[in-house]
Amino acid sequence: MHVELDDDLVTYRDRVRRHIEAHRPSMNRLPGTRSPKPEDLPEYRKWCASLFDAGFVGADWPVEWGGRADHNLLQDFVFDVELAHAKTPRPIGAYNLVSGALLNYGTTTQKQQYLSRIRRFEDLWCQLFSEPEAGSDLASLRTRAQRDGEDWVITGQKVWTTHAHIADLGFLLARSDHSAAKHAGISAFIVDMRSPGITVRPLRELTGSADFNEVFFDGVRVPADNMIGAPGEGWAIARVALSHERSQSQREDSISDAVRRLVTLSQHSTEPDGTVTAQRSDVRQRIGCFFARAQVSDLLGFKGLLKAAHGVASVGDSPVSKVVFTEANLDIASFAVEVQGNRGVLDEADPAVVDGGKWQEAFLWARGFTISAGSNEIMRNLIAERELKLPRDPTGK
């Protein structure tokens, strides 16, 4: 997708490019939810801090906390496009989530203590929301927070916590009042991930990486001053924080780029009879269909951005874009593995693998994208009920 930029955005784009050229880290862009390697963390923190310092990240914050008065969402779009094209990593972790919570509910002391450290990327945050029986139904969480003097004592378990194994701090939701209604008894906390009683266990994925984790809390003491907002405000805080996080442009590599790489793959692949795969009419038709879907995905994302920039965003914009992007991305990666024939089952360690095994890795990540940040089934429910105003099934099925 080609977007014409006005003069101000061209100037902004050029400034981003100069910054990337001057500060580019040696590490590559991280796919999916991949965490930096421990040995890369010092350089990664320095790179992310430079993006905050230059005003490219955190630009939407209030000016008194480091934001820019001239910020607009189209600048975020340009910034993310340039990072994607340059294959440079972007900031990861729950910094967007917790900054939204702190800016709206944090005390002055909390803002002074944590927001400046976020901008210097001294703290890497993780999100401690999901539990084994409270994923999509977050209000059913069971992790308990019990007041004991000047502390809250946390007991329970979280799961699918991205980057917990390298995080300095966690943004935690726990049930502080079991007698209150399901949504009303939840509170929000800032947790030092090095606290006694915290155990982090990595979860190994299909990709072979282990960037998700289980986190266990065994009587972890959290100072009362680390509560964000008031007791019982956790649900409202989480909704505000998630809204702030989703308002940020976090661009995955465009699937239009994947389609172009798929064309190259088909041109260099052969059938059992020696025919070049790209010469098959059905292959060309499939790739043409993928190109059309990629264009739709890019345009939907840009449409949502423009609506948000003009204050007319609707609740269905993000879910629709998410479903279209992730399902097209999965189909493209699946077909790329299929095109490779027998070599499609090889991994990156095999010298005969195609293109260093990048398509196999993309295929394994692609399924995860349809689940993460709200499964596509949940997204379809949101679209139907909140955007299209369709009635719920009276049988509850």
Side-chain angles (χ1 to χ4, degrees):
M1 183 185 69
H2 177 71
V3 178
E4 292 290 341
L5 305 178
D6 63 25
D7 291 344
D8 288 341
L9 288 176
V10 168
T11 299
Y12 187 81
R13 180 203 64 192
D14 293 343
R15 187 160 72 85
V16 173
R17 289 179 176 178
R18 289 194 298 271
H19 185 90
I20 292 173
E21 183 177 358
H23 299 275
R24 174 192 292 272
S26 59
M27 60 187 298
N28 293 324
R29 187 173 177 84
L30 305 171
T33 56
R34 183 66 55 85
S35 300
K37 297 177 181 177
E39 59 269 26
D40 289 333
L41 276 174
E43 182 184 22
Y44 178 72
R45 289 180 189 268
K46 181 179 179 181
W47 161 247
C48 293
S50 79
L51 299 178
F52 274 101
D53 188 55
F56 299 133
V57 181
D60 62 319
W61 293 17
V63 173
E64 62 267 31
W65 297 110
R68 295 196 342 262
D70 65 342
H71 166 261
N72 69 68
L73 287 174
L74 293 179
Q75 292 173 339
D76 294 342
F77 173 80
V78 169
F79 169 71
D80 277 332
V81 167
E82 293 304 318
L83 282 192
H85 285 173
K87 304 299 181 185
T88 50
R90 61 188 178 200
I92 60 169
Y95 73 91
N96 257 341
L97 197 72
V98 75
S99 65
L102 290 171
L103 287 168
N104 287 278
Y105 286 90
T107 65
T108 299
T109 299
Q110 288 174 338
K111 293 175 183 178
Q112 292 172 340
Q113 180 176 354
Y114 295 108
L115 292 179
S116 61
R117 291 181 61 86
I118 289 174
R119 298 194 73 88
R120 296 193 299 270
F121 222 76
E122 294 178 8
D123 296 324
L124 200 157
W125 290 77
C126 65
Q127 173 187 334
L128 298 161
F129 285 14
S130 296
E131 298 184 6
E133 297 182 18
S136 299
D137 185 15
L138 183 58
S140 295
L141 63 84
R142 297 181 179 179
T143 296
R144 178 187 295 267
Q146 184 73 38
R147 185 66 184 261
D148 182 20
E150 295 302 312
D151 295 333
W152 288 87
V153 180
I154 310 297
T155 303
Q157 178 187 357
K158 299 293 180 177
V159 72
W160 303 119
T161 305
T162 314
H163 315 307
H165 59 300
I166 59 171
D168 304 294
L169 298 171
F171 179 22
L172 169 73
L173 292 183
R175 189 164 298 283
S176 56
D177 185 353
H178 281 260
S179 66
K182 193 163 70 168
H183 294 78
I186 298 172
S187 296
F189 301 88
I190 297 167
V191 179
D192 186 335
M193 294 299 291
R194 295 173 290 270
S195 300
I198 292 182
T199 301
V200 177
R201 296 179 185 172
L203 296 168
R204 190 159 298 279
E205 305 149 38
L206 283 172
T207 60
S209 62
D211 303 307
F212 296 107
N213 306 268
E214 295 178 291
V215 183
F216 298 87
F217 297 85
D218 184 12
V220 177
R221 303 191 75 87
V222 175
D225 289 344
N226 280 25
M227 176 181 281
I228 303 175
E233 285 190 319
W235 183 256
I237 292 171
R239 293 186 64 179
V240 168
L242 288 167
S243 175
H244 183 262
E245 180 189 46
R246 290 166 182 164
S247 70
Q248 309 306 300
S249 177
Q250 292 288 307
R251 178 184 174 87
E252 296 292 342
D253 292 352
S254 169
I255 51 176
S256 296
D257 296 333
V259 174
R260 284 187 281 270
R261 290 189 289 111
L262 181 58
V263 171
T264 301
L265 174 66
S266 68
Q267 291 171 336
H268 291 84
S269 299
T270 56
E271 300 298 301
D273 62 0
T275 304
V276 175
T277 300
Q279 294 178 353
R280 287 174 44 186
S281 61
D282 61 321
V283 170
R284 294 197 300 272
Q285 289 172 1
R286 289 284 297 277
I287 293 176
C289 179
F290 290 143
F291 180 79
R293 292 173 66 183
Q295 292 295 298
V296 169
S297 175
D298 286 349
L299 288 168
L300 278 173
F302 193 59
K303 175 185 176 183
L305 178 73
L306 290 176
K307 289 176 67 176
H310 289 85
V312 293
S314 65
V315 70
D317 292 339
S318 180
V320 168
S321 293
K322 196 261 186 183
V323 170
V324 171
F325 169 84
T326 57
E327 296 190 353
N329 183 57
L330 175 60
D331 289 346
I332 291 167
S334 300
F335 187 66
V337 173
E338 179 185 332
V339 163
Q340 296 175 37
N342 293 338
R343 290 196 291 174
V345 301
L346 303 180
D347 62 23
E348 60 183 12
D350 195 304
V353 71
V354 175
D355 199 17
K358 292 180 180 178
W359 282 113
Q360 283 79 353
E361 182 182 49
F363 168 70
L364 295 176
W365 274 113
R367 175 63 68 184
F369 282 142
T370 68
I371 301 170
S372 63
S375 69
N376 283 7
E377 290 76 12
I378 295 294
M379 294 297 105
R380 283 185 166 87
N381 281 343
L382 290 175
I383 295 166
E385 295 173 8
R386 300 186 185 180
E387 179 69 17
L388 301 179
K389 307 298 183 184
L390 298 179
R392 292 191 178 190
D393 183 347
T395 66
K397 296 180 180 180

